[in-house]
Structures are given as structure tokens and as C-alpha cells.
Amino acid sequence: MPETPATSAPAAPVFPPGRYGHRRAPRQRRPWVAGLLVVALLAVMGAVSYRLYRQYGDPNYDAQVITYTEITESQLVLDFRVTVPAGGSAVCVVRARSRDGAEVGRDEVPVTAEPGQRHLTARHRLATTGRAILGEVVRCRPAS
């Protein structure tokens, strides 16, 4: 049986000089550019977070629905509890929804706490365009 010669690993190709362009020199790394981009990204994310917190996340203005009663085709009476800074005031957005989830009433309700008081209970008669099955407080924000 004849022996076959061992195959050697192919070497890197050799190109004629000046024929296929020049090899690029390795680029010098600039780690400060990546660091600057990271710092800029963190600054933008911090600014957006702060703005969203100021707009939607103020824990000093919190509301909870106690009950909704006197439901008819044209109204709903909503009782709710609001937490505000001591002696502060707020504007709460309340709404009523129908069985299919559509909004049938919405209103802004100003509430003001007594001096030194943080929790207050409010009652609001909300006019509706149809029969509501649910009353809710969407949000409360500082009074302007």
C-alpha cells in the first residue's frame, strides 16, 4: 500500500508588493471618547428620570378611592382620600368608566387640607354621558 505524504498547514498567502493596496495600521484607541459618551448618556438619563419623577411620581400627592355611589345614567358620586403635604392643596383628576371601559366622565377636583393636616377626604359628584360602573382617581398633582 502506498503512503500518502502528510499535508502541511497552508501558510499565509503571499501577495506581490504594491499590487493589492496597503495594510492599514492599527488604530490608536481613545478610551476617553467612550468615557465621555457614557457620562453624557448618564446625564441625559438622569435628566429624563428627574422630569418624569416630577411629572408623575411625587409621593406627597397620593389618592385612594373609598367608594363610588349614587350611580345613574348621568352621574356618579365619588368619595376619595388624598394625601398632601401638611396644609397643602392639590388638584385631582377623577373619571368614570362604563362597562366596556370607555370614559364617560372626567373632571378636575381641587382639594385643600386644613393647616397641619396631611390626609383629607373629598366627595365629588361627577357628571357622566352614560351609565358608569367604575369611578377612579387618575392622579393628583400640586395646585398651581
Side-chain angles (χ1 to χ4, degrees), residues 3 13-14 28 34 36 58 60-63 66 77 81 92 94-95 100 110 116 119 123 131 133 135 137:
E3 289 186 31
V14 177
Q28 185 177 3
L36 184 65
D58 195 351
N60 291 327
Y61 298 90
D62 185 34
I66 298 171
V77 175
R81 182 177 302 119
C92 296
V94 297
R95 72 176 172 183
D100 63 356
H119 306 284
R123 172 175 273 219
R131 185 164 190 85
I133 64 159
V137 179

Side-chain angles (χ1 to χ4, degrees), residues 84-132:
V84 296
S89 61
V91 175
C92 296
V93 177
V94 297
R95 72 176 172 183
R97 298 173 93 188
S98 65
R99 181 171 298 283
D100 63 356
E103 186 176 286
V104 292
R106 176 182 280 255
D107 203 0
E108 289 190 356
V109 182
V111 293
T112 303
E114 298 293 325
Q117 183 183 11
R118 287 186 36 90
H119 306 284
L120 62 119
T121 303
R123 172 175 273 219
H124 182 70
R125 186 173 304 275
L126 181 61
T128 61
T129 58
R131 185 164 190 85

Side-chain angles (χ1 to χ4, degrees), residues 8-143:
S8 63
V14 177
F15 299 108
R19 192 143 187 216
Y20 296 103
H22 301 285
R23 287 202 170 244
R24 292 186 182 169
R27 291 205 310 177
Q28 185 177 3
R29 293 191 161 229
R30 296 185 182 126
W32 61 270
V33 173
L36 184 65
L37 289 175
V38 167
V39 168
L41 178 66
L42 289 175
V44 168
M45 287 175 43
V48 169
S49 297
Y50 177 75
R51 175 152 166 75
L52 289 174
Y53 177 78
R54 294 276 297 156
Q55 186 173 358
Y56 298 110
D58 195 351
N60 291 327
Y61 298 90
D62 185 34
Q64 298 172 337
V65 174
I66 298 171
T67 185
Y68 42 93
T69 57
E70 300 180 35
I71 300 171
T72 66
E73 295 294 325
S74 61
Q75 76 171 9
L76 172 131
V77 175
L78 185 66
D79 294 312
F80 57 100
R81 182 177 302 119
V82 183
T83 302
V84 296
S89 61
V91 175
C92 296
V93 177
V94 297
R95 72 176 172 183
R97 298 173 93 188
S98 65
R99 181 171 298 283
D100 63 356
E103 186 176 286
V104 292
R106 176 182 280 255
D107 203 0
E108 289 190 356
V109 182
V111 293
T112 303
E114 298 293 325
Q117 183 183 11
R118 287 186 36 90
H119 306 284
L120 62 119
T121 303
R123 172 175 273 219
H124 182 70
R125 186 173 304 275
L126 181 61
T128 61
T129 58
R131 185 164 190 85
I133 64 159
L134 174 68
E136 58 189 355
V137 179
V138 179
R139 72 176 179 273
C140 291
R141 58 180 163 71

